[in-house]
Amino acid sequence: MDPDFLKQLFQQEFTKIVAVISKSFGLQYIEIAEDIVSETFLVATESWQTKGVPANPTAWLYTVAKQKTLAQFRRNKIFTDKIIPAVRQREPEAESFDEFSFSQENIKDSQLKMLFAICTPAIASEAQIGLALRILCGFGIEEIAEAFLSNKETINKRLFRAKEKLRSEKIELELPSETEIIKRLDNVLHIIYLLFNEGYYSKTQNQILRKELCIEALRLALMLSSYEKTNTPKTNALIALICFHSSRFEARLTNEGDFILYEQQDEERWNQELIHQGLYFLKNAASGDELTSYHLEAKIAQCHCIKEDSPEKWTEILQWYDRLLVVNYSPAAALNRIFALYKVKGAKAALAEVKTLQLEDNHFYFVLLGELYQDLDKNKAIANFNKAKNLAKITLEKEIIQQKIDAIKSAMT
């Protein structure tokens, strides 16, 4: 049995099963739900290794998870009724057990309610995002720690406190009022954005592209767009952003898994259907008065879906980055803006600005310096690429940077 298959299946189904169990029995049992999913996958591993993978592994998982869940809560009910009858817990009535199901409609409804329940103001913003990445996106603790530039111990404590808050505040798994939905939507969208970013340029797992996370992010965003109250312009802008970037997936990697830089990608391998979908959602995003970072990033991503390397294209990209930095400044956006400046005004103009950033712990900073020095001072270019290589964490990134160094050395001989 392929371990990658099982891992991907876990990533996809963990979130759905936890959401459905929590919706049916209450958020106070979220840790029990996580344990049930882990036990279900343990049984799957043991069974499938000897008997083979069933024809419909997802249905198999749902069946076993349902059996384990019902057994768990029936035991709890006996304990509550016969041993501590004075304690009144929120337990479903016996006749409601059969209504507990993993239908696609129930999964969708459960996950939508889980998104907004986790984003309650009772939980701190960072804890909301961490809990959602764990429960709704299937992130491991290491991946969450990487996303927050933290460590596993800190993240574990944060998640524990967040779950305790769900219990103590008696948060129900239900959609909040329309006013409250609008307040919480920004955090919900940010969670989906983080999920897509981790898939599009992964900082963990020693790989750059993790398509399954990107697909999950798109699924969650589309789920929001199907509900009237969350089908807002910024929701559509985020979907457009995801579609534009996702359209180039097949062109980013060779059949052997090697990374292909944007300039070397085969435009014929870009997914035109996804590009058209991006244009559709970007048009939907144009209504209303709010201009978000999702709108601006979507416009930049749209420009990158035009392969022609024209001055007009890079001038437009530079203008969008200028606006993005005003709306939502980030070091990554600042570096990308300077690359656009380089394409428009040349290396000297870009160098004058890039040195003001002083991102000495960011390997992309030194990659950009290496690029800018290539035609001005090859020795400085090599020195900066070497710094970038030493800072890079992913083996594939180190290899790409080394290729740049080798190409410069070859040109010097």
Side-chain angles (χ1 to χ4, degrees):
M1 183 174 60
D2 183 0
D4 289 337
F5 162 76
L6 191 64
K7 183 180 184 302
Q8 184 174 346
L9 191 64
F10 179 87
Q11 186 92 52
Q12 292 171 349
E13 304 305 330
F14 172 88
T15 68
K16 299 174 185 177
I17 299 173
V18 169
V20 170
I21 294 173
S22 299
K23 176 194 172 188
S24 300
F25 297 96
L27 272 172
Q28 66 266 44
Y29 297 116
I30 194 168
E31 287 175 331
I32 290 177
E34 290 182 79
D35 290 341
I36 287 171
V37 179
S38 297
E39 290 174 13
T40 299
F41 272 86
L42 180 61
V43 172
T45 303
E46 294 171 347
S47 174
W48 297 355
Q49 281 178 341
T50 55
K51 300 178 182 178
V53 178
N56 190 336
T58 301
W60 190 100
L61 290 172
Y62 290 165
T63 299
V64 173
K66 181 174 181 178
Q67 291 170 350
K68 285 184 172 295
T69 303
L70 296 183
Q72 170 71 39
F73 285 98
R74 279 175 178 141
R75 285 196 300 271
N76 278 1
K77 187 168 179 60
I78 292 170
F79 179 76
T80 303
D81 289 348
K82 295 186 177 181
I83 301 176
I84 48 170
V87 180
R88 298 294 181 185
Q89 296 185 356
R90 181 184 174 273
E91 296 282 3
E93 296 299 324
E95 56 266 27
S96 72
F97 281 139
D98 292 335
E99 298 173 11
F100 167 57
S101 72
F102 288 101
S103 67
Q104 290 304 309
E105 183 179 353
N106 196 33
I107 288 172
K108 180 180 176 181
D109 184 63
S110 300
Q111 289 193 298
L112 183 63
K113 290 177 177 177
M114 178 71 87
L115 266 172
F116 283 93
I118 286 174
C119 289
T120 171
I123 299 176
S125 179
E126 279 195 345
Q128 290 176 16
I129 296 169
L131 191 58
L133 291 176
R134 172 63 180 156
I135 301 303
L136 273 168
C137 305
F139 270 41
I141 301 302
E142 181 183 339
E143 292 169 302
I144 299 173
E146 189 76 45
F148 283 109
L149 302 176
S150 185
N151 56 65
K152 291 193 288 185
E153 182 181 353
T154 299
I155 295 301
N156 272 320
K157 288 179 179 178
R158 188 179 296 169
L159 294 183
F160 176 78
R161 287 194 296 268
K163 292 173 187 177
E164 284 296 303
K165 203 69 174 177
L166 289 175
R167 279 189 283 269
S168 65
E169 296 290 331
K170 298 180 180 178
I171 304 298
E172 298 290 339
L173 206 62
E174 59 187 17
L175 285 176
S177 66
E178 184 170 354
T179 303
E180 194 63 29
I181 282 178
I182 294 170
K183 289 181 182 177
R184 298 187 196 182
L185 184 58
D186 281 342
N187 266 4
V188 170
L189 293 175
H190 187 53
I191 287 163
I192 296 172
Y193 178 77
L194 279 180
L195 175 63
F196 179 77
N197 277 354
E198 172 59 24
Y200 188 75
Y201 199 92
S202 179
K203 296 180 288 294
T204 59
Q205 306 287 327
N206 200 31
Q207 62 185 102
I208 289 180
L209 178 61
R210 299 178 64 189
K211 293 182 186 178
E212 74 277 7
L213 298 187
C214 297
I215 292 169
E216 182 67 9
L218 180 57
R219 187 186 68 80
L220 291 173
L222 288 170
M223 182 177 69
L224 289 175
S225 72
S226 67
Y227 181 62
E228 182 181 358
K229 293 177 181 177
T230 55
N231 186 27
T232 65
K234 56 189 169 187
T235 300
N236 282 269
L238 178 57
I239 296 172
L241 165 65
I242 293 173
C243 286
F244 287 137
H245 281 310
S246 299
S247 69
R248 293 187 282 110
F249 277 172
E250 297 306 317
R252 288 182 70 199
L253 296 176
T254 66
N255 294 333
E256 293 75 30
D258 294 327
F259 191 70
I260 302 174
L261 296 174
Y262 175 77
E263 295 81 3
Q264 299 163 353
Q265 289 175 10
D266 180 2
E267 187 179 355
E268 295 298 316
R269 297 186 67 189
W270 291 359
N271 188 317
Q272 294 300 318
E273 183 179 349
L274 274 173
I275 293 174
H276 290 143
Q277 285 293 309
L279 292 170
Y280 168 80
F281 285 106
L282 191 58
K283 182 179 178 182
N284 290 348
S287 61
D289 300 325
E290 186 179 17
L291 182 68
T292 68
S293 58
Y294 302 127
H295 287 84
L296 297 167
E297 288 190 47
K299 288 298 296 183
I300 292 167
Q302 179 195 2
C303 291
H304 283 299
C305 288
I306 303 169
K307 189 64 185 293
E308 185 183 357
D309 202 19
S310 65
E312 293 78 16
K313 168 185 164 179
W314 286 105
T315 299
E316 183 178 355
I317 290 174
L318 179 60
Q319 290 170 349
W320 290 124
Y321 270 120
D322 285 337
R323 298 183 71 177
L324 177 61
L325 291 176
V326 174
V327 173
N328 185 20
Y329 181 89
S330 73
L335 284 172
N336 287 333
R337 177 200 167 272
I338 289 174
F339 183 79
L341 178 66
Y342 157 60
K343 300 293 283 188
V344 174
K345 296 186 177 180
K348 289 183 179 179
L351 275 170
E353 291 201 24
V354 73
K355 290 178 180 178
T356 65
L357 297 178
Q358 297 183 336
L359 300 172
E360 300 293 329
D361 58 348
N362 187 322
H363 77 282
F364 289 118
Y365 173 73
F366 291 106
V367 167
L368 180 55
L369 281 172
E371 293 284 352
L372 298 179
Y373 273 119
Q374 277 197 82
D375 294 329
L376 300 175
D377 188 327
K378 288 184 168 33
N379 287 321
K380 284 187 177 181
I382 291 172
N384 281 289
F385 279 133
N386 275 320
K387 289 179 182 179
K389 182 182 172 184
N390 291 333
L391 286 170
K393 294 181 179 179
I394 301 173
T395 303
L396 188 54
E397 277 189 323
K398 291 178 180 291
E399 292 174 354
I400 293 170
I401 295 169
Q402 185 59 53
Q403 289 171 10
K404 290 178 176 291
I405 294 170
D406 292 342
I408 296 173
K409 287 181 176 179
S410 177
M412 292 171 68
T413 57

